[in-house]
Amino acid sequence: GCAKKESSAANSNGKTKKKYIISTDATYAPFEYEENGKYVGIDIDLLDAIAKLEGFEYELKPMNFKGIIPALQAGQIDGAIAGMSITDERKKVLDMSEGYYESGLALVVKEGNNTIKSLEDLKGKTFAVKKGTAGAKFAEDNKEKLGVTIKYFDNTPSMFQEVKNGNADATLEDYPVIAYMIKVDPNSGLQIAGEKLTKNYYGFAVKKGQNKELLDAFNRGLKKLKENGEYDRIIAKYIKK
Amino acid sequence: MIEARGIKKKFGNLEVLKGIDFNVEKGEVLCIIGPSGSGKSTLLRCLNRLEEITEGTIKIDGEDIHDRKTDVNKLREKLGMVFQSFNLFPHLNVLNNITFAPVELKKMDKKQAEEKARYLLRKVGLEDKALVYPEKLSGGQKQRAAIARALAMEPEIMLFDEPTSALDPEMVGEVLQVMKDLARDGMTMVVVTHEMGFAREVADRVIFMDDGLIIEEAAPEQLFTAPQNPRTKDFLSKVL
Amino acid sequence: MIEARGIKKKFGNLEVLKGIDFNVEKGEVLCIIGPSGSGKSTLLRCLNRLEEITEGTIKIDGEDIHDRKTDVNKLREKLGMVFQSFNLFPHLNVLNNITFAPVELKKMDKKQAEEKARYLLRKVGLEDKALVYPEKLSGGQKQRAAIARALAMEPEIMLFDEPTSALDPEMVGEVLQVMKDLARDGMTMVVVTHEMGFAREVADRVIFMDDGLIIEEAAPEQLFTAPQNPRTKDFLSKVL
Amino acid sequence: MDFIELFRESFPSLLSGLTVTLKITALALVIATLLGLLFGLMSISNNKLLMFIARIYVDLIRGTPLIVQAFFIYFGLPTALDFKINAFSAGVAAVGINAGAYMVEIFRAGIMAVDKGQMEAARSLGLSYRKSMAKIILPQAVRKMIPAFINQFIISLKDTSILSVIGIRELTQSGEIIIASNYRAFETWGMIGIMYFVIIMLLSYTARSLERRLVI
Amino acid sequence: MDFIELFRESFPSLLSGLTVTLKITALALVIATLLGLLFGLMSISNNKLLMFIARIYVDLIRGTPLIVQAFFIYFGLPTALDFKINAFSAGVAAVGINAGAYMVEIFRAGIMAVDKGQMEAARSLGLSYRKSMAKIILPQAVRKMIPAFINQFIISLKDTSILSVIGIRELTQSGEIIIASNYRAFETWGMIGIMYFVIIMLLSYTARSLERRLVI
Ligand SMILES: Nc1ncnc2c1ncn2[C@@H]1O[C@H](COP(=O)(O)OP(=O)(O)OP(=O)(O)O)[C@@H](O)[C@H]1O
Ligand SMILES: Nc1ncnc2c1ncn2[C@@H]1O[C@H](COP(=O)(O)OP(=O)(O)OP(=O)(O)O)[C@@H](O)[C@H]1O
Ligand SMILES: [Mg+2]
Ligand SMILES: [Mg+2]
């Protein structure tokens, strides 16, 4: 759509900085969330640093996660950085960057529940997952094998509450997200069971076949950040090892 | 039979009845006339406690009806009421309109109640309309059915509130005829009406009300031909 | 002035007017009587095209009013209409009810229209009610205001559809008086009414309708004292 | 993947979502009708306290979003009172209590639309208030309520989609799950739209013909 | 973190969400009123085609969920017709067009509730249909419509929360963002509930007093 036209118009006039509309979720700490009225988080800081390095401007447009991919497809936004795992399904409709963060799924249970330590302990139990996430995909893939029931939720707080209230036995959440939460919220009532279950990467996304320039800029910038140590500084700011 | 003493009725600050006394004897027909807003309907409605009175007493067969101990539903079984706007139950056919209360209240069996209803319908000239719904009836037919409905409870007294005011003129006669027949059969009746001809012909006594008070009370012949009070004269000059 | 020939009117399959002919001369008062449902209102409403006719012609001042070329709004300015249910505009006070149409349509200036309205209100005896809203008026006052509203457009003909049927009996007289005054001033009037006294006193001619047809047409004295048709006789026996 | 295939793959899942939606809506409306009747009668009673309680119920429920109510019933109450409720029951309760508040007003309007003379006539015959209400007023009121009731049915049907926040997999939620795995938002939303549309049209046409037949 | 602090921190953000909610609702209702008036008049006209168009609009919009409509306006239309629309405008349009369909019925009911005699009296005086409608019928209809209009206002106010899917940060979405950073779901939802409640109560009491003053 028009987003493309706008950026190509800027292209022919090499001097003006290109301005992109980039979407994020805003409900996904520590990658993107709000603090004192400003959007912060790993994704936001990375994007900002890369934009400075690569010389483009962006307008941040937080939206409900389930609107992001349709918005990309419709050309309402140029790119998205929202803790979005790189998967084969997504790569069918989106072009995604190199992975910028290694993530993976953690098994989360109610605090004090020490009967569940690994996947095998979950036979016949109930999973709460957030729809459209890698966790949901993982649960679906293991549904048959483990004989679990899956309950889908709209947002993370409901999903966690479900486990706290004992209506579901476990939930799956991206490891860094849940680790962060348990750390900052002493009343979370949740704990991580066992080790990381999977390994995957978050990527920056643009509409398939469009905005290659932006995608390239992201990849280039990311590489520079990793080289100059800025990347580690940003991660350390949010996740203290 | 009815003995009303010092009845006052207020709606909020508005005093609508300002001290009314009257009697009705068994078998008597009492007509109440008077200008709009004078309190005729309110007075009638106090008799079966559709309105509570503010002061005074009303005794029916010696029983103080506005007493706390009086069972208002039992009282109302004794008093049949006919409204200006008929108020037939639109979701029941004519027969069921009539049998509904007897079956519910007198525990009459359905069959017996229907026989009774058909007898009453014959009496008011509606035997062929038993299974028809009210909306299909003309105004005059509706009012006759409403009278039959009230009679089905075998009331001792019938109250009529302008029973012909909502009717087309050519239907007034048929309803008045039914009322005349009732009076002839000895029913005790209190009738609020604008039909001076009827009052003159059927009433034993006529009361003229204005502004919440009984202004004049007399036999019809006297009240219509030689009204004593100037307000009665003025009213009669307008409506006759 | 009005010349109606072979008027038929159907609502769907129901033929309500079955072929009506009549004339009204300038300055004449024509009363239409007849039982409920006989088509009196429908006939009156055809005269100002509130209903379209199915067959026939109606000419007013020689102009075929149901013609496509006739401007229906211009036509209606010539014809004042008074309804049974008054139909005053509840959101306007009496004065504005009266001035509304002249100001909108005759481009009369507000001031002049108000003077006119006050003159008319005096004529119908409501000079003190100019700034009152309709809900505060009694039925008789409402109807007199409605007559003043119709007169404000200076119609050549006034149509009345049972103007006193919705009134309490003691208010009938005041409205009929206004209508009598109008007739005396030479207004051409067509009046559907159940007030036989009025018809007798004021009408130049009376039409008796039944079942969509004119059954009898005569001077009032003749029609009321010596009706020719048995249906007329029967109707009159019920309402007189 | 062409549309036919997409349809074949997602239809069973959407259909089961639709079934959940319809089940919840139907049960919720039974509750709503009972609540509406109860509080509706309270709101027209002469007892100030009963009137006040009914007023509070209506104001409180109409004044807050369904999503908050659903959270409260599913997560809040069980935590506070230490009991367990399954999502389906909580969903039915939330939608039912929510629609109930609107039903109060619908019942009230329906009863008030019955001519006052009907109650007076019934009482004059010696019938008790309760019997007059049950056998004379309500049968007439119910007929007048049909259009408003159907409106509420439609609203509740759509509101059910909010229950995805407590993990109920109704029609909208089923659709979103499908979209989350195949990213075919437009076609899938299209199918969902049509399903809602068909149900709602069926409802509103049945209602209209019912209304015509019942006009007495 | 105690509640006072939580309140102090999240209140400004919730308030700005509320402002967005109110802005969208207000603008949308202006659109809805215009659409409702236009299609409402069409639906009572004698022209079968106009009636049919109005019927289609009402059925189609009432028959599909707002979320589908919002997606369509924000994502679908711009792609199909190749233009760009910002989320705020799309949100206003979606809620406006949605509420418009209900407003059609509200206008229709309001106009039909005005006594037929009013139109006849106006026409009899020689006023055109248009003028009679504008100056005689509508002023009376509008008064009768107040309760239904306020109901719609409340519904649209709450419906606005659905617009988070197209990235609008209204009250509910603000709340979710806050919860995502402080994990205090109950207190935050409580505050949101109260904010909705206060606005809705203000609305409905203003409406009731307005209604009382306008009863003519
Ligand atoms: N429920 C009520 N609340 C307040 N005022 C009332 C009520 N019922 C009647 N009134 C007032 O009481 C007065 C008497 O009314 P009532 O109906 O008894 O008069 P009426 O003589 O029957 O008149 P009409 O001939 O018009 O029927 C009127 O001023 C009326 O406005
Ligand atoms: N708009 C309409 N649609 C269908 N039928 C109608 C309509 N208006 C009137 N009718 C029918 O036409 C017939 C004549 O009605 P009309 O109102 O002209 O009678 P009327 O003589 O004025 O009676 P009344 O004395 O009761 O006013 C009646 O059977 C009536 O039901
Ligand atoms: Mg009365
Ligand atoms: Mg008529």
Side-chain angles (χ1 to χ4, degrees):
Chain A
C2 293
K4 183 191 67 182
K5 270 189 215 146
E6 197 181 81
S7 46
S8 57
N11 238 354
S12 58
N13 179 0
K15 277 173 196 159
T16 42
K17 283 188 177 179
K18 280 136 281 180
K19 184 160 183 180
Y20 297 103
I21 301 174
I22 310 242
S23 199
T24 185
D25 174 1
T27 59
Y28 209 56
F31 292 92
E32 52 262 347
Y33 60 103
E34 206 188 55
E35 205 173 74
N36 304 324
K38 282 203 339 248
Y39 296 108
V40 295
I42 294 171
D43 286 359
I44 312 291
D45 286 9
L46 281 178
L47 179 65
D48 199 54
I50 290 170
K52 283 203 186 95
L53 279 175
E54 291 300 313
F56 64 84
E57 285 181 23
Y58 67 93
E59 180 193 329
L60 199 61
K61 193 162 167 40
M63 62 201 295
N64 191 311
F65 191 82
K66 73 183 164 200
I68 288 179
I69 293 175
L72 278 170
Q73 287 175 309
Q76 295 283 12
I77 53 178
D78 299 303
I81 183 159
M84 195 186 283
S85 299
I86 301 169
T87 65
D88 292 342
E89 283 84 2
R90 285 191 179 133
K91 282 205 279 200
K92 280 184 203 152
V93 294
L94 305 173
D95 284 335
M96 298 196 75
S97 70
E98 306 285 316
Y100 64 80
Y101 188 83
E102 187 196 308
S103 181
L105 289 173
L107 193 59
V108 181
V109 297
K110 194 173 173 175
E111 197 171 23
N113 177 351
N114 295 320
T115 58
I116 297 173
K117 293 198 186 63
S118 70
L119 268 188
E120 281 62 43
D121 300 327
L122 273 169
K123 279 210 166 51
K125 299 264 163 82
T126 303
F127 265 132
V129 300
K130 187 162 77 166
K131 68 189 164 222
T133 59
K137 181 84 175 43
F138 181 85
E140 283 158 13
D141 291 344
N142 287 284
K143 188 172 186 229
E144 303 287 290
K145 199 175 83 194
L146 294 171
V148 289
T149 312
I150 303 176
K151 289 172 96 172
Y152 291 89
F153 287 85
D154 240 10
N155 54 25
T156 313
S158 321
M159 177 173 90
F160 287 157
Q161 194 65 43
E162 184 77 353
V163 175
K164 277 195 270 183
N165 282 19
N167 290 315
D169 300 293
T171 181
L172 291 159
E173 179 57 282
D174 288 0
Y175 197 94
V177 173
I178 185 65
Y180 178 83
M181 173 185 159
I182 289 172
K183 203 173 68 196
V184 298
D185 182 13
N187 303 319
S188 72
L190 297 171
Q191 68 187 34
I192 296 174
E195 289 300 304
K196 240 191 234 182
L197 293 176
T198 59
K199 189 162 116 178
N200 63 7
Y201 291 91
Y202 290 159
F204 176 85
V206 297
K207 183 177 180 181
K208 189 145 193 76
Q210 315 257 313
N211 279 322
K212 180 159 177 7
E213 195 190 345
L214 173 60
L215 194 64
D216 290 346
F218 186 89
N219 282 331
R220 264 198 317 274
L222 180 64
K223 195 154 168 248
K224 287 183 204 160
L225 286 183
K226 282 188 172 162
E227 283 164 4
N228 69 14
E230 177 76 2
Y231 177 89
D232 290 326
R233 220 182 44 70
I234 290 173
I235 302 295
K237 184 170 154 199
Y238 293 96
I239 299 176
K240 296 183 188 72
K241 289 273 150 71
Chain B
M1 190 151 207
I2 303 178
E3 212 177 309
R5 288 290 164 269
I7 307 175
K8 295 192 181 176
K9 169 71 187 173
K10 284 188 179 180
F11 288 113
N13 284 325
L14 181 72
E15 192 164 35
V16 171
L17 298 179
K18 300 178 176 171
I20 300 261
D21 301 85
F22 71 96
N23 290 344
V24 184
E25 303 305 326
K26 194 165 167 61
E28 196 183 20
V29 177
L30 175 71
C31 282
I32 302 176
I33 63 172
S36 177
S38 55
K40 309 180 297 293
S41 298
T42 306
L43 177 59
L44 203 67
R45 292 157 61 85
C46 288
L47 294 181
N48 72 347
R49 280 185 65 181
L50 280 180
E51 305 286 355
E52 298 292 327
I53 59 179
T54 319
E55 263 181 58
T57 54
I58 301 177
K59 287 186 181 168
I60 292 185
D61 288 339
E63 186 187 14
D64 183 349
I65 63 160
H66 282 267
D67 192 272
R68 282 177 148 269
K69 284 183 299 244
T70 309
D71 176 347
V72 64
N73 295 328
K74 276 282 161 241
L75 162 74
R76 286 177 180 149
E77 290 186 21
K78 277 205 243 176
L79 295 158
M81 179 104 176
V82 175
F83 300 86
Q84 178 177 349
S85 49
F86 329 130
N87 294 343
L88 291 176
F89 305 136
H91 60 303
L92 302 177
N93 66 25
V94 170
L95 196 68
N96 290 337
N97 259 280
I98 298 174
T99 58
F100 183 73
V103 170
E104 287 285 336
L105 293 177
K106 303 221 152 160
K107 306 294 164 210
M108 210 182 257
D109 79 59
K110 187 83 184 152
K111 190 121 195 188
Q112 197 188 342
E114 282 188 5
E115 245 164 57
K116 180 92 190 288
R118 285 187 188 275
Y119 163 76
L120 288 168
L121 282 174
R122 216 157 34 244
K123 221 167 133 174
V124 301
L126 287 177
E127 53 271 72
D128 53 331
K129 300 289 182 188
L131 301 179
V132 166
Y133 281 84
E135 54 161 355
K136 298 270 182 223
L137 298 180
S138 76
Q141 292 168 335
K142 278 186 195 153
Q143 195 59 299
R144 286 185 278 148
I147 294 174
R149 179 176 68 178
L151 291 174
M153 289 299 289
E154 299 181 338
E156 296 169 20
I157 306 168
M158 286 284 286
L159 310 175
F160 292 85
D161 191 1
E162 304 194 21
T164 59
S165 295
L167 297 179
D168 286 310
E170 76 266 27
M171 293 165 185
V172 169
E174 64 197 39
V175 172
L176 291 181
Q177 190 54 52
V178 168
M179 291 170 63
K180 282 178 200 166
D181 294 347
L182 261 184
R184 200 162 304 140
D185 293 353
M187 176 62 78
T188 312
M189 291 162 61
V190 182
V191 185
V192 173
T193 186
H194 288 303
E195 291 294 328
M196 298 305 153
F198 174 85
R200 207 158 178 162
E201 186 183 337
V202 183
D204 295 303
R205 223 157 10 107
V206 178
I207 284 176
F208 171 70
M209 280 183 71
D210 194 8
D211 200 18
L213 286 170
I214 293 181
I215 305 293
E216 199 163 345
E217 178 177 345
E221 212 45 46
Q222 196 197 328
L223 193 117
F224 288 116
T225 52
Q228 300 298 307
N229 191 297
R231 276 147 90 185
T232 321
K233 274 182 204 154
D234 181 50
F235 176 76
L236 289 175
S237 78
K238 280 185 180 159
V239 299
L240 282 182
Chain C
M1 191 149 207
I2 303 178
E3 210 178 309
R5 290 291 164 268
I7 307 175
K8 296 191 180 176
K9 168 71 186 173
K10 284 187 179 183
F11 288 112
N13 284 326
L14 181 72
E15 192 164 36
V16 171
L17 298 179
K18 300 178 177 172
I20 300 263
D21 302 85
F22 71 98
N23 290 344
V24 185
E25 302 305 325
K26 191 163 172 59
E28 195 181 21
V29 176
L30 175 70
C31 282
I32 302 176
I33 63 172
S36 178
S38 56
K40 309 181 294 296
S41 299
T42 306
L43 177 59
L44 203 67
R45 294 157 59 86
C46 288
L47 294 182
N48 73 348
R49 280 185 65 182
L50 280 180
E51 305 287 356
E52 299 292 326
I53 58 178
T54 319
E55 262 181 58
T57 56
I58 301 177
K59 287 187 182 168
I60 293 185
D61 287 340
E63 187 186 12
D64 183 347
I65 63 159
H66 281 266
D67 192 273
R68 285 178 146 268
K69 281 180 305 240
T70 309
D71 176 348
V72 64
N73 295 329
K74 277 283 160 235
L75 163 74
R76 285 175 181 150
E77 290 187 22
K78 277 205 246 179
L79 294 158
M81 179 106 178
V82 175
F83 300 87
Q84 177 175 350
S85 49
F86 328 131
N87 295 341
L88 290 177
F89 305 136
H91 60 304
L92 302 178
N93 66 23
V94 170
L95 197 67
N96 289 337
N97 259 280
I98 298 174
T99 58
F100 182 73
V103 170
E104 288 285 338
L105 294 176
K106 302 219 153 160
K107 304 297 163 207
M108 211 181 258
D109 79 62
K110 186 85 185 153
K111 189 122 195 183
Q112 196 188 345
E114 284 188 4
E115 246 165 59
K116 181 91 190 288
R118 286 189 187 273
Y119 163 78
L120 288 168
L121 282 174
R122 217 159 29 245
K123 222 167 132 174
V124 300
L126 288 177
E127 52 271 69
D128 52 331
K129 301 290 183 190
L131 300 180
V132 165
Y133 280 84
E135 55 162 354
K136 299 271 182 223
L137 299 179
S138 76
Q141 292 169 334
K142 278 186 195 153
Q143 195 60 297
R144 287 184 279 147
I147 294 174
R149 178 176 68 178
L151 291 175
M153 289 298 289
E154 301 182 335
E156 296 169 20
I157 305 168
M158 286 285 285
L159 310 175
F160 293 85
D161 190 0
E162 303 193 20
T164 60
S165 296
L167 297 179
D168 285 310
E170 77 266 28
M171 293 166 184
V172 170
E174 63 196 40
V175 172
L176 291 180
Q177 190 54 51
V178 168
M179 292 170 63
K180 282 179 201 166
D181 294 347
L182 261 183
R184 201 162 302 138
D185 292 354
M187 176 63 79
T188 312
M189 291 163 62
V190 181
V191 185
V192 173
T193 188
H194 288 304
E195 292 294 328
M196 298 305 153
F198 174 84
R200 209 156 174 165
E201 187 184 337
V202 183
D204 294 304
R205 226 159 4 112
V206 178
I207 284 176
F208 171 68
M209 278 183 70
D210 193 8
D211 199 18
L213 285 170
I214 293 181
I215 305 294
E216 199 163 344
E217 177 177 346
E221 213 43 46
Q222 194 197 331
L223 194 117
F224 288 113
T225 52
Q228 299 300 306
N229 191 296
R231 277 148 88 186
T232 319
K233 275 182 204 157
D234 180 52
F235 176 76
L236 289 175
S237 77
K238 281 183 180 158
V239 299
L240 281 183
Chain D
M1 185 158 67
D2 64 358
F3 184 73
I4 306 288
E5 201 180 329
L6 179 79
F7 178 82
R8 232 171 2 96
E9 272 190 11
S10 49
F11 190 72
S13 164
L14 289 179
L15 206 63
S16 90
L18 181 64
T19 314
V20 173
T21 293
L22 289 177
K23 259 191 213 152
I24 292 182
T25 309
L27 288 173
L29 280 176
V30 171
I31 294 176
T33 305
L34 294 175
L35 288 173
L37 178 58
L38 178 69
F39 286 96
L41 288 175
M42 281 164 66
S43 77
I44 55 161
S45 82
N46 285 325
N47 186 320
K48 287 258 187 276
L49 178 69
L50 294 182
M51 280 173 71
F52 183 71
I53 295 175
R55 186 82 255 148
I56 291 284
Y57 169 56
V58 171
D59 282 352
L60 205 68
I61 298 296
R62 290 206 306 185
T64 49
L66 176 56
I67 193 174
V68 171
Q69 294 157 17
F71 268 109
F72 183 74
I73 291 175
Y74 189 52
F75 296 131
L77 272 191
T79 312
L81 306 180
D82 200 27
F83 68 98
K84 228 166 165 167
I85 184 169
N86 69 41
F88 185 85
S89 313
V92 168
V95 176
I97 291 172
N98 185 276
Y102 294 88
M103 286 299 292
V104 171
E105 296 292 286
I106 293 172
F107 266 103
R108 198 166 64 91
I111 290 169
M112 308 246 288
V114 176
D115 191 275
K116 230 163 45 79
Q118 292 291 314
M119 179 56 99
E120 296 191 342
R123 298 306 306 276
S124 293
L125 287 168
L127 293 159
S128 64
Y129 179 84
R130 185 184 287 258
K131 210 162 229 165
S132 307
M133 187 52 85
K135 303 258 178 123
I136 301 297
I137 307 301
L138 283 176
Q140 296 179 53
V142 164
R143 278 156 219 214
K144 293 178 201 284
M145 287 164 45
I146 295 175
F149 182 80
I150 293 298
N151 258 349
Q152 189 53 48
F153 199 125
I154 294 175
I155 290 169
S156 291
L157 186 79
K158 296 203 221 153
D159 272 358
T160 306
S161 70
I162 288 171
L163 299 179
S164 65
V165 298
I166 60 168
I168 290 179
R169 185 169 177 160
E170 39 66 58
L171 180 52
T172 299
Q173 173 84 334
S174 304
E176 292 185 355
I177 289 168
I178 291 170
I179 293 170
S181 73
N182 70 11
Y183 304 108
R184 298 281 290 264
F186 293 112
E187 295 92 330
T188 311
W189 279 117
M191 280 191 277
I192 296 171
I194 290 169
M195 283 173 125
Y196 275 114
F197 187 70
V198 168
I199 297 292
I200 291 170
M201 283 299 99
L202 277 179
L203 258 175
S204 74
Y205 283 98
T206 324
R208 259 178 235 164
S209 75
L210 192 70
E211 218 181 315
R212 259 196 302 275
R213 265 187 302 132
L214 280 183
V215 165
I216 271 178
Chain E
M1 186 159 65
D2 65 358
F3 184 72
I4 307 286
E5 200 181 331
L6 180 77
F7 179 81
R8 228 168 9 91
E9 269 189 14
S10 49
F11 190 71
S13 165
L14 288 179
L15 205 63
S16 90
L18 182 64
T19 314
V20 173
T21 293
L22 289 176
K23 260 192 213 153
I24 292 182
T25 310
L27 288 173
L29 279 176
V30 171
I31 294 177
T33 305
L34 294 176
L35 288 173
L37 179 58
L38 177 69
F39 285 97
L41 289 175
M42 279 164 66
S43 78
I44 55 161
S45 80
N46 285 323
N47 186 320
K48 288 255 188 279
L49 178 68
L50 293 182
M51 281 173 70
F52 182 71
I53 295 174
R55 188 81 253 149
I56 291 283
Y57 169 55
V58 172
D59 283 352
L60 205 67
I61 299 297
R62 289 207 305 185
T64 49
L66 177 56
I67 193 175
V68 171
Q69 293 157 18
F71 266 109
F72 183 73
I73 291 174
Y74 189 54
F75 300 135
L77 270 191
T79 313
L81 306 180
D82 200 27
F83 68 99
K84 216 162 174 173
I85 184 169
N86 69 43
F88 186 85
S89 313
V92 169
V95 176
I97 291 171
N98 185 275
Y102 294 88
M103 286 299 291
V104 170
E105 296 292 287
I106 293 173
F107 266 103
R108 197 164 64 91
I111 290 170
M112 310 246 288
V114 176
D115 190 277
K116 229 163 47 79
Q118 292 291 315
M119 180 55 101
E120 294 190 342
R123 298 305 308 274
S124 293
L125 287 168
L127 292 159
S128 63
Y129 178 84
R130 185 185 286 258
K131 212 162 228 164
S132 307
M133 186 52 83
K135 304 258 178 126
I136 301 298
I137 307 302
L138 283 177
Q140 296 180 53
V142 164
R143 277 155 221 218
K144 292 176 201 283
M145 285 163 46
I146 294 174
F149 182 80
I150 295 298
N151 259 348
Q152 187 54 49
F153 200 125
I154 294 174
I155 291 170
S156 291
L157 187 79
K158 296 202 219 151
D159 273 357
T160 306
S161 70
I162 289 171
L163 298 179
S164 68
V165 297
I166 60 169
I168 290 179
R169 184 173 177 161
E170 42 62 65
L171 182 52
T172 301
Q173 174 77 351
S174 301
E176 292 190 356
I177 288 173
I178 289 170
I179 294 169
S181 74
N182 70 10
Y183 308 108
R184 299 280 289 264
F186 289 115
E187 295 94 329
T188 311
W189 278 116
M191 281 191 276
I192 295 172
I194 290 169
M195 285 176 125
Y196 275 115
F197 185 70
V198 168
I199 297 292
I200 290 171
M201 282 300 98
L202 277 180
L203 257 175
S204 73
Y205 283 98
T206 325
R208 260 179 234 162
S209 75
L210 192 71
E211 220 182 313
R212 260 196 303 275
R213 266 187 302 133
L214 280 181
V215 165
I216 273 182

